[in-house]
Amino acid sequence: MANRATHAVEKLRSLEDGHRALVEVVACGSGAIPALRALLFEREPDGLFQPRCLAVAALAALKAHDVLIEYLSALRTRADPVEQLGDDAVINAAARALAEQRGERVFDLLLSLAEARLRPGVIEALGAFRRIEALPYFIAALADDDARAAAETALRNLGAAASQALTTAATFPAAEERESDSRLRQRRSALRLLAEIGIEPQAWPVLRHVMTDRDPTLRVLACRLCLAAAPRMEKAKAVRQLLGSVDNADWLLLPEIEDCLTTYFAEAREAIETTLREAAPDEHPLRKRTRFALQRIQARAEARANAKSHPK
């Protein structure tokens, strides 16, 4: 039986047939665990991670979670970036495989891993716990391109409990004169999440100054929050600011502006209609780009209203 299990585990090394061998390995039962452990703990200087990720999947299927915990507890930083890249893929797989475990031991281990490095699999596994203790790591991971999606999911799941931390992340001033790209992406992500989760009206004054931020995307996102939670007079200011941003918005930001004005069309309707009406071609012609954008917003808002009044 041991020889059969060892032979089956060896098949996991094949980049072509490894996935097919996974069923055979699991069918060997607990007898395959020693060979799977040996494969998992192997060093791979070439950075190949697929066989060890398959070993993780097999160990999880066999409920050998202690082996995965042992592996994650014994991590070492590799000097070779190629080897480290392969290890990171295996670490992510092992962390995700442990996500179904809800014990303190696993949670504390994942927190220690996040403290060392914000890997997406670790953030995803921590998110499965839905615990506020992991909130600082989720906020920090918003600045990481690899881990951001997992962090956003975790923060959505925390809901209102994450609002204060997201507000701080969106507004905290940068130490440097020019913000780094990662910091800007973190702040943008925080504002988008706040728009999804929602903010209380009393939280708006803390965010008000973002409407005058140097970054145009942040300004637009802050306008969205203003339209959701600010007093009526400030909402009018947000609408005017959005309308004034259409002409100079890039191709990524323009859809964001249009979506915002469509979502809050009730607040923007009068200003949009006035802008189009007063821009007579023979007097103060609007640039075609702005006119078409406002007409698209009107059409989308009308379509939404019709869909609500005539549901299928």
Side-chain angles (χ1 to χ4, degrees):
M1 180 69 177
N3 287 337
R4 177 194 166 203
T6 300
H7 181 66
V9 170
E10 282 299 309
K11 291 182 181 179
L12 296 179
R13 297 181 185 276
S14 171
L15 297 181
E16 293 182 0
D17 302 321
H19 283 86
R20 284 197 289 268
L22 184 59
V23 175
E24 182 181 346
V25 171
V26 175
C28 292
S30 59
I33 292 176
L36 287 168
R37 181 190 179 282
L39 174 57
L40 178 60
F41 276 80
E42 278 187 8
R43 292 189 63 172
E44 180 48 72
D46 292 333
L48 296 176
F49 57 84
Q50 292 89 341
R52 288 183 293 156
C53 286
L54 290 173
V56 168
L59 287 164
L62 293 170
K63 307 299 181 185
H65 298 117
D66 283 347
V67 177
L68 299 178
I69 292 172
E70 179 190 3
Y71 172 72
L72 291 176
S73 300
L75 292 181
R76 297 290 184 271
T77 300
R78 307 299 187 190
D80 183 350
V82 174
E83 185 176 5
Q84 184 64 61
L85 190 64
D87 281 358
D88 285 344
V90 182
I91 293 165
N92 284 326
R96 291 184 176 107
L98 286 174
E100 64 186 45
Q101 304 301 303
R102 293 294 185 268
E104 287 297 315
R105 181 186 178 192
V106 172
F107 184 71
D108 289 343
L109 172 59
L110 292 170
L111 281 181
S112 68
L113 291 171
E115 180 72 31
R117 188 171 177 186
L118 297 170
R119 298 177 176 91
V122 174
I123 296 299
E124 183 180 324
L126 276 173
F129 283 79
R130 302 194 179 198
R131 288 177 55 170
I132 203 71
E133 297 97 313
L135 184 54
Y137 301 103
F138 300 149
I139 295 294
L142 293 179
D144 184 277
D145 289 343
D146 292 329
R148 184 177 303 112
E152 288 176 341
T153 298
L155 289 162
R156 286 190 192 97
N157 289 337
L158 285 176
S163 293
Q164 182 58 54
L166 286 167
T167 299
T168 301
T171 59
F172 191 79
E176 63 273 22
E177 186 173 333
R178 182 187 180 278
E179 285 185 290
S180 65
D181 289 340
S182 61
R183 173 70 179 129
L184 279 174
R185 288 193 287 270
Q186 181 188 44
R187 294 179 67 204
R188 291 169 182 169
S189 180
L191 284 175
R192 286 194 176 96
L193 286 166
L194 283 171
E196 291 182 38
I197 294 170
I199 63 170
E200 297 296 327
Q202 59 267 28
W204 165 246
V206 180
L207 294 161
R208 179 184 289 122
H209 73 278
V210 186
M211 286 179 62
T212 58
D213 196 277
R214 288 174 296 182
D215 180 65
T217 300
L218 288 172
R219 294 198 300 268
V220 169
L221 293 170
C223 285
R224 178 183 282 273
L225 285 170
C226 178
L227 288 168
R232 183 176 178 181
M233 290 301 296
E234 289 196 69
K235 290 183 180 182
K237 178 181 177 182
V239 169
R240 290 194 301 272
Q241 184 165 320
L242 289 169
L243 291 175
S245 301
V246 171
D247 240 10
N248 297 319
D250 62 31
W251 64 277
L252 284 173
L253 189 56
L254 182 58
E256 190 117 40
I257 295 172
E258 291 188 20
D259 182 71
C260 182
L261 289 171
T262 302
T263 300
Y264 295 97
F265 188 71
E267 290 80 2
R269 179 199 294 272
E270 184 177 347
I272 290 174
E273 291 177 348
T274 299
T275 302
L276 287 171
R277 184 172 60 251
E278 292 180 351
D282 56 341
E283 295 177 5
H284 306 288
L286 277 177
R287 293 179 60 175
K288 287 184 178 180
R289 188 170 191 255
T290 298
R291 183 183 296 279
F292 291 159
L294 299 187
Q295 289 172 342
R296 282 194 298 270
I297 292 166
Q298 286 181 318
R300 287 173 61 190
E302 184 178 348
R304 286 188 183 186
N306 289 338
K308 285 183 180 179
S309 24
H310 302 94
K312 292 182 179 179

